[in-house]
Amino acid sequence: MGCSSSLPDRSSGQLAGLNSENGGVSDAKNLRVKLVLLGDSGVGKSCIVLRFVRGQFDPTSKVTVGASFLSQTIALQDSTTVKFEIWDTAGQERYAALAPLYYRGAAVAVVVYDITSPESFAKAQYWVKELQKHGNPDIVMALVGNKADLNEKREVPVQDGIDYAEKNGMFFIETSAKTADNINQLFEEIAKRLPRPASS
Amino acid sequence: MAELSFNLLHTLDPRRDAYGFALRPQHVQRYKEYAKIYKEEEGERSDKWKEFFERLVISDQPCSSDEEYKETLRVEATECKIETVLESEESDDSGGKKSISDGSKERDLEKEVHRSKETKTHEVQTWAQIRPSLGAIEIMMSSRILMSKDMIDEQKTISGDHLPSIEEAKSPGGASEEEFDGDVYVNATSDDNANATGTVTAEVDEVSPKNLFPLKEEVEFLVRGGVPKDLRGEVWQAFVGVKTRRVERYYQNLLAQEANDGEHKDHEDSSGVPKKWKRQIEKDIPRTFPGHPALDDNGRNSLRRLLLAYAQHNPSVGYCQAMNFFAGLLLLLMPEENAFWTLVGIIDDYFGGYYTEEMIESQVDQLVFEELMRERFPKLVNHLDYLGVQVAWISGPWFLSIFVNMLPWESVFRVWDVLLFEGNRVMLFRTALALMELYGPALVTTKDAGDAITLLQSLAGSTFDSSQLVLTACMGFLAVTEARLQELRTKHRPAVLVVVEERSKRGRVWKDSKGLASKLYSFKHDPVSLIEEKKSAEGGDNLELLNSLSVDSELGSLPDLQEQVVWLKVELCRLLEEKRAAVLRAEELETALMEMVKQDNRRELSARVELLEQELAELKQALADKREQETAMLQVLMRVEQEQRVTEDARISAEQDAAAQRYAVHVLQERYEKALASVAEMEKRVVIAESMLEATLQYESGQSKAHASPRSTRNQDTSTRKTGLLSFGLGWRDRNKGKPTDVKESNLSHSPNEGMDPSSSEKETKNEQKET
């Protein structure tokens, strides 16, 4: 989807016009990217976004109902800019019914788990499968182990994350929204991995 | 208790609004501006409501025969009064009800504080009855609940979901109420309306039907103007019909059940709240209005109890994110048990099917909303389509959160005022449409999806003009009615069901009866006959006793599982039968439709064929005309060609003539040359002839000399003359050689003579000679 201009009608079951718009590329120098955050409730999806967009961290952030939206533009070293249109979804299981609304047509999916919670890791795997089945086939996926600052409470080994990500062709990183560790790196790495529109 | 602490604490923090909620930093300034307006509005509004109550009291007084009622009316005249019912398992003998009739808020607070301590130690719940002056509204509203319950009963009672458990729990509840000297009105709903207690029938009769309508109009008007802050909690309860919904001890039993579960955690198949909900609730409690002054430890405990009790009460919903906010909001306005019943009213009734596992109704509503949007704001939707923005991305969270955290709190409250009064989701749609109307013009100027969504979110988040919003919503979209919405929901529901079906097929397999029950619950819109349930309900005291017992021990699930299973099977069979019938009918209809379509097609086709034929004829005509023209043209062309050919021929013949003439000229020339040659020949011959003549003459003179001298002299003369002539002749010829043309001319003019008679020319020469 990132390169919807060169691959117009790839994604199945939706309007092509919609696609080219929200997969979003304006031109080779200024990319527009729809990104969706998925993952179990309470793993810190909203915190990652807030840290990335506003540079803030609130240990008692609000429950996300439905989904919330924020956007942030970053500049890369090769002087291209990438505008992330970020959909932060609700984590509770039943809200998965509404998730397709948000991940459909997304160019990037960031699947987040909590390194202190094996259940959230299992849930992340569920999301990866769901995306592989029903997401955009060209979607760039990142697996993120959040709460890396709680290393002493870690229950998901780094290697598990790396292995799973490698097996599924994903980019992997451990972050901490609390300490801001790797948050910007996460988005920069994603930006680098985006399929670029053919330079005209 | 939460309510009161909240009332005290609210104005302390400048970064929090009058309700104690955190303000976004970017909104602090605007909030300050609007705070004055809110205050003014609040003043006007409490005057209006006060006046309304006063009128109500006057008109009601003569009808009221209830002593207690009169007494409380007097109390009402003073100021805000909360009647608190304190119930505890240990204090059964206390009568369970304590009326505080002095008017000071402070003393209320003291008692509340005191009681909240009790709550901690004895696990006691607080139940406050709302002020009696709201009785009229309450009755008006509860009659609505009674009516809708009658219908819902018919649909739901036996389907194995939550409602029957209330219904059944009510009977024993009603019985115990009398012991407790509890609220008599509750009995009204506990039994079928057939044996409603006299009190309620009397009460309802007083107000309805003649008084009800104008009252409703007036209340509607007041509600749209907003409910005064101090009354809000109670007014909302009146709207939701908490008193009518309430079943004595039901809430306490749910909590006790939950506590039991907590003690026997090792029990594998505990019937209590499933772990996943408990965990989710624990996760979400600190994330519900974090930092709100009223949500201290006590507040959070209330919130937890409330959510757990609800999950226990309605397993088809359990716990869904968003409910934490509703429960928290309600706890700020009313005591815990009141909040519970209000929440039950909202989630079970107003938002039935919204927060269930599959969230079917909420998805349906999004499709309905999108259709309304397309109808109302086609340009805006076109623009959003162009940007690749789906309306549901934004409206979905609005609807699911009922605007909590989406709008400034004053606006949220105002929307909830109307929504709870109306008792359906119409206000949800109207408010969302009003927001689109207010902000659509700004939205169409956006250039990309991100900007559009960000703009709409931030504009909605700063909708401080709550009166404008509510007014736009209520007045601008009168065509959006419950009937219309139901119609649209029926239209869009199948699409959602198909997707949900697919999801559940590929995802999980529902094995337990709970899943089945929730499935059935999702079909609650289908009419389900009541008969069987009625039978089982009338099945005798034993059954009822059994029911009540099992409700006590196993809240949330139906008492007799086996019976339920049997019933479910029967129901399933019936449904299958119905489905089959429906399928058959659908097929029939389809064939009929096909037939109609075919006929229609045929008619249309023949018409078209006719038309085409006509067209064809016309075309043929045109073609013929064209051909004629073409032939005419061809003829003309041919004639022209012929003429051209003729002229060409003429030219050729002329050329030939010219050639012939040239040839003739040539021939003449030749002849002329031949003639010239012959002339030359002739001349030669003349010369020869002359020389012959000379020779002859010489011979003759020789002869004459010999014969006659005279003659010979004369002959001599002649011979000299002849020589002279000869020499002259030769000389002439020589002269002529110098001027050939002259010779020619003279020759030409002389030639006929020469050619015809050389002798004559000889004679001439002779004559010439004679002359000379």
Side-chain angles (χ1 to χ4, degrees):
Chain A
M1 256 332 286
C3 51
S4 56
S5 56
S6 50
L7 299 165
D9 286 322
R10 271 285 195 87
S11 71
S12 53
Q14 55 162 334
L15 297 166
L18 213 76
N19 258 336
S20 58
E21 280 306 323
N22 38 346
V25 199
S26 13
D27 56 66
K29 282 278 165 193
N30 302 291
L31 286 101
R32 222 151 50 71
V33 172
K34 181 180 168 185
L35 182 150
V36 64
L37 276 144
L38 299 164
D40 201 5
S41 167
V43 298
K45 297 181 292 299
S46 304
C47 288
I48 288 175
V49 182
L50 276 180
R51 173 58 87 181
F52 173 58
V53 175
R54 302 216 177 114
Q56 298 167 345
F57 176 73
D58 184 356
T60 54
S61 63
K62 266 182 287 189
V63 173
T64 307
V65 174
S68 78
F69 179 86
L70 279 174
S71 79
Q72 171 76 311
T73 306
I74 60 168
L76 295 183
Q77 282 175 341
D78 59 351
S79 81
T80 54
T81 65
V82 179
K83 181 176 182 182
F84 286 107
E85 300 174 350
I86 306 169
W87 280 104
D88 172 23
T89 60
Q92 196 187 3
E93 195 172 335
R94 70 186 63 181
Y95 278 96
L98 308 183
L101 190 64
Y102 296 101
Y103 70 64
R104 231 185 281 137
V108 182
V110 175
V111 180
V112 186
Y113 68 91
D114 171 357
I115 63 157
T116 69
S117 156
E119 287 139 22
S120 74
F121 188 57
K123 191 79 199 184
Q125 298 178 7
Y126 159 83
W127 278 117
V128 172
K129 278 183 203 116
E130 164 111 5
L131 287 167
Q132 282 166 346
K133 268 191 223 155
H134 302 282
N136 168 11
D138 308 320
I139 200 162
V140 173
M141 285 197 280
L143 183 65
V144 174
N146 194 35
K147 306 197 187 178
D149 53 291
L150 301 175
N151 202 28
E152 71 279 5
K153 287 193 204 161
R154 175 191 290 277
E155 289 198 39
V156 183
V158 187
Q159 199 54 48
D160 288 10
I162 293 172
D163 290 347
Y164 188 77
E166 199 172 315
K167 233 189 283 164
N168 292 278
M170 302 168 80
F171 159 64
F172 175 76
I173 196 169
E174 284 198 352
T175 61
S176 165
K178 190 174 179 181
T179 64
D181 243 15
N182 275 344
I183 297 291
N184 287 338
Q185 285 84 335
L186 163 65
F187 287 91
E188 279 161 20
E189 275 303 318
I190 289 167
K192 282 183 205 158
R193 272 151 221 269
L194 288 173
R196 298 300 162 98
S199 51
S200 46
Chain B
M1 66 202 112
E3 169 197 18
L4 292 162
S5 48
F6 142 72
N7 276 339
L8 267 189
L9 289 166
H10 61 75
T11 40
L12 298 179
D13 192 337
R15 281 165 307 162
R16 293 191 173 269
D17 64 12
Y19 301 98
F21 293 107
L23 285 165
R24 279 176 219 163
Q26 68 266 35
H27 289 155
V28 172
Q29 195 50 43
R30 282 199 75 191
Y31 176 73
K32 268 187 196 161
E33 287 163 26
Y34 273 93
K36 287 172 212 151
I37 299 170
Y38 292 159
K39 214 168 193 178
E40 273 170 42
E41 283 183 345
E42 183 68 27
E44 283 169 30
R45 160 182 319 145
S46 31
D47 289 347
K48 271 193 216 160
W49 282 77
K50 210 171 189 175
E51 189 206 335
F52 168 71
F53 283 131
E54 273 160 18
R55 264 187 294 125
L56 209 63
V57 168
I58 294 158
S59 63
D60 267 8
Q61 225 147 16
C63 319
S64 176
S65 55
D66 187 349
E67 253 179 59
E68 198 191 12
Y69 191 52
K70 269 182 186 167
E71 186 191 34
T72 36
L73 276 177
R74 233 188 306 120
V75 173
E76 178 57 33
T78 61
E79 243 294 283
C80 319
K81 189 77 308 327
I82 296 170
E83 204 180 337
T84 310
V85 181
L86 180 67
E87 289 169 278
S88 74
E89 282 167 84
E90 294 91 337
S91 63
D92 281 359
D93 49 344
S94 74
K97 180 175 173 183
K98 199 169 172 185
S99 193
I100 302 147
S101 49
D102 85 54
S104 99
K105 245 186 172 176
E106 283 74 15
R107 283 200 51 189
D108 261 0
L109 178 65
E110 274 174 33
K111 299 213 170 189
E112 283 297 337
V113 171
H114 175 65
R115 254 167 223 138
S116 66
K117 278 176 191 157
E118 271 187 355
T119 313
K120 265 187 183 171
T121 47
H122 301 293
E123 293 210 348
V124 180
Q125 304 308 317
T126 334
W127 161 255
Q129 212 171 333
I130 62 173
R131 68 193 67 198
S133 61
L134 289 171
I137 298 177
E138 195 169 31
I139 290 160
M140 178 175 84
M141 292 303 177
S142 53
S143 70
R144 177 176 74 194
I145 296 164
L146 285 174
M147 287 193 314
S148 66
K149 270 205 177 154
D150 288 345
M151 298 192 305
I152 292 165
D153 281 352
E154 289 180 21
Q155 294 170 356
K156 286 192 190 171
T157 333
I158 16 125
S159 63
D161 69 65
H162 57 289
L163 267 168
S165 56
I166 301 179
E167 294 298 320
E168 281 147 36
K170 271 180 178 174
S171 305
S176 59
E177 260 165 42
E178 276 151 68
E179 286 170 38
F180 292 134
D181 185 27
D183 195 345
V184 238
Y185 310 137
V186 174
N187 256 340
T189 47
S190 61
D191 310 329
D192 286 326
N193 37 347
N195 57 345
T197 57
T199 346
V200 161
T201 354
E203 289 263 7
V204 173
D205 281 351
E206 275 169 28
V207 198
S208 67
K210 51 183 189 292
N211 296 343
L212 213 67
F213 189 67
L215 178 67
K216 195 175 179 199
E217 291 269 275
E218 197 167 354
V219 175
E220 184 174 47
F221 176 75
L222 283 172
V223 167
R224 285 177 179 181
V227 177
K229 222 185 277 177
D230 298 330
L231 287 173
R232 191 165 267 138
E234 292 168 65
V235 170
W236 281 11
Q237 291 176 56
F239 288 168
V240 181
V242 164
K243 201 155 119 186
T244 315
R245 290 178 195 278
R246 182 176 182 239
V247 177
E248 197 77 16
R249 302 205 56 73
Y250 182 73
Y251 184 61
Q252 285 73 16
N253 288 336
L254 288 175
L255 290 183
Q257 168 69 31
E258 178 49 37
N260 274 345
D261 279 358
E263 281 165 30
H264 307 98
K265 260 192 174 159
D266 41 327
H267 262 250
E268 278 294 313
D269 49 2
S270 75
S271 62
V273 180
K275 255 193 186 163
K276 59 172 180 178
W277 294 340
K278 271 188 194 165
R279 257 207 315 261
Q280 192 67 55
I281 289 170
E282 282 311 319
K283 268 187 199 167
D284 290 351
I285 281 172
R287 303 196 290 165
T288 307
F289 308 135
H292 192 285
L295 286 169
D296 52 6
D297 285 348
N298 278 338
R300 299 206 178 290
N301 289 335
S302 295
L303 183 59
R304 176 177 300 113
R305 282 195 297 270
L306 189 52
L307 291 174
L308 287 173
Y310 183 85
Q312 185 96 293
H313 153 75
N314 185 356
S316 76
V317 173
Y319 169 71
C320 178
Q321 287 184 327
M323 282 164 55
N324 56 323
F325 291 117
F326 307 155
L329 177 60
L330 295 173
L331 279 175
L332 299 178
L333 298 172
M334 57 189 81
E336 195 175 311
E337 194 183 338
N338 302 55
F340 170 78
W341 289 107
T342 311
L343 186 68
V344 166
I346 294 171
I347 306 287
D348 289 3
D349 234 27
Y350 296 10
F351 286 79
Y354 233 67
Y355 299 102
T356 50
E357 201 68 53
E358 287 106 345
M359 307 189 93
I360 290 168
E361 291 307 306
S362 99
Q363 295 181 60
V364 173
D365 269 10
Q366 285 315 309
L367 296 179
V368 172
F369 182 64
E370 198 181 327
E371 177 163 349
L372 289 174
M373 279 287 290
R374 283 189 192 281
E375 188 184 298
R376 284 304 180 114
F377 308 110
K379 270 187 196 160
L380 175 59
V381 178
N382 268 349
H383 182 70
L384 293 177
D385 281 347
Y386 167 73
L387 295 179
V389 174
Q390 271 179 278
V391 175
W393 292 349
I394 306 156
S395 57
W398 284 354
F399 279 50
L400 284 165
S401 60
I402 323 183
F403 297 107
V404 170
N405 296 326
M406 304 289 161
L407 300 176
W409 275 101
E410 183 72 18
S411 300
V412 174
F413 279 119
R414 295 285 302 275
V415 170
W416 278 58
D417 286 342
V418 180
L419 191 138
L420 295 182
F421 169 74
E422 288 178 346
N424 51 42
R425 301 197 291 274
V426 171
M427 188 58 184
L428 209 54
F429 284 88
R430 288 182 175 175
T431 307
L433 288 168
L435 286 168
M436 293 295 188
E437 173 151 310
L438 291 173
Y439 303 130
L443 276 185
V444 292
T445 65
T446 51
K447 296 267 184 326
D448 73 47
D451 293 350
I453 298 158
T454 308
L455 183 70
L456 186 53
Q457 270 187 351
S458 77
L459 284 175
S462 56
T463 312
F464 283 98
D465 197 340
S466 50
S467 294
Q468 184 198 29
L469 177 66
V470 172
L471 214 75
T472 312
C474 292
M475 296 302 165
F477 303 96
L478 291 172
V480 179
T481 59
E482 180 66 4
R484 179 81 209 287
L485 290 180
Q486 288 299 358
E487 194 184 299
L488 290 175
R489 282 175 188 138
T490 314
K491 177 180 158 193
H492 288 290
R493 191 170 290 113
V496 174
L497 286 176
V498 165
V499 176
V500 168
E501 192 73 14
E502 217 170 279
R503 247 191 114 74
S504 63
K505 239 187 245 164
R506 70 166 196 254
R508 43 218 114 133
V509 183
W510 294 96
K511 285 173 191 158
D512 50 349
S513 66
K514 211 190 289 158
L516 190 56
S518 82
K519 276 257 167 76
L520 279 170
Y521 178 74
S522 71
F523 283 108
K524 73 187 168 72
H525 294 270
D526 297 348
V528 175
S529 95
L530 226 195
I531 308 158
E532 279 164 279
E533 165 59 9
K534 273 203 172 143
K535 270 181 198 158
S536 74
E538 288 161 14
D541 288 350
N542 282 342
L543 188 62
E544 216 147 79
L545 192 66
L546 190 75
N547 284 355
S548 64
L549 279 175
S550 37
V551 164
D552 282 344
S553 59
E554 254 191 308
L555 285 159
S557 58
L558 262 188
D560 194 340
L561 268 178
Q562 207 154 11
E563 198 170 319
Q564 190 193 350
V565 167
V566 169
W567 175 79
L568 280 173
K569 275 182 189 162
V570 171
E571 195 57 24
L572 195 65
C573 288
R574 204 179 56 74
L575 280 174
L576 283 174
E577 196 86 36
E578 263 178 31
K579 190 189 148 199
R580 213 172 303 137
V583 167
L584 281 173
R585 175 125 185 81
E587 271 167 14
E588 254 173 46
L589 284 172
E590 207 172 346
T591 36
L593 191 70
M594 288 292 279
E595 206 57 40
M596 275 163 71
V597 167
K598 263 187 211 159
Q599 270 181 355
D600 214 31
N601 277 354
R602 239 174 271 154
R603 216 173 304 148
E604 215 171 281
L605 275 175
S606 64
R608 255 182 92 188
V609 164
E610 247 172 44
L611 221 121
L612 283 172
E613 268 170 2
Q614 238 174 24
E615 240 173 283
L616 190 71
E618 268 168 25
L619 281 172
K620 270 184 185 162
Q621 186 66 40
L623 193 71
D625 287 355
K626 280 263 167 67
R627 270 198 191 141
E628 246 172 35
Q629 271 184 345
E630 205 181 51
T631 45
M633 288 281 282
L634 261 176
Q635 275 172 353
V636 169
L637 207 75
M638 266 155 69
R639 221 171 296 153
V640 168
E641 231 168 9
Q642 253 173 358
E643 266 168 15
Q644 215 174 10
R645 218 174 294 148
V646 169
T647 43
E648 183 79 2
D649 285 358
R651 192 178 63 84
I652 290 170
S653 60
E655 256 171 13
Q656 279 174 347
D657 278 3
Q661 270 169 2
R662 232 176 287 141
Y663 182 65
V665 167
H666 184 71
V667 168
L668 280 175
Q669 188 106 18
E670 266 179 357
R671 262 197 223 152
Y672 164 68
E673 269 162 14
K674 265 184 199 162
L676 261 185
S678 62
V679 167
E681 193 80 18
M682 288 295 191
E683 267 172 353
K684 269 182 199 165
R685 263 199 228 159
V686 168
V687 172
I688 292 165
E690 261 176 346
S691 53
M692 276 174 67
L693 184 63
E694 213 173 341
T696 323
L697 278 176
Q698 271 174 351
Y699 173 74
E700 264 183 78
S701 63
Q703 282 271 336
S704 55
K705 266 173 187 175
H707 289 293
S709 53
R711 269 182 77 196
S712 71
T713 51
R714 221 194 39 197
N715 276 358
Q716 265 178 330
D717 282 349
T718 26
S719 70
T720 51
R721 259 187 259 145
K722 267 190 186 169
T723 344
L725 182 74
L726 250 178
S727 62
F728 167 77
L730 285 170
W732 174 75
R733 220 172 40 195
D734 289 343
R735 256 187 311 173
N736 274 1
K737 271 175 191 165
K739 301 176 185 173
T741 29
D742 292 347
V743 175
K744 249 183 207 167
E745 276 169 13
S746 58
N747 274 354
L748 266 172
S749 53
H750 292 290
S751 60
N753 291 341
E754 282 178 338
M756 274 185 341
D757 190 6
S759 59
S760 67
S761 66
E762 274 175 312
K763 274 171 195 168
E764 256 181 358
T765 13
K766 272 173 198 169
N767 288 340
E768 276 173 357
Q769 284 169 345
K770 277 169 191 170
E771 276 169 15
T772 47

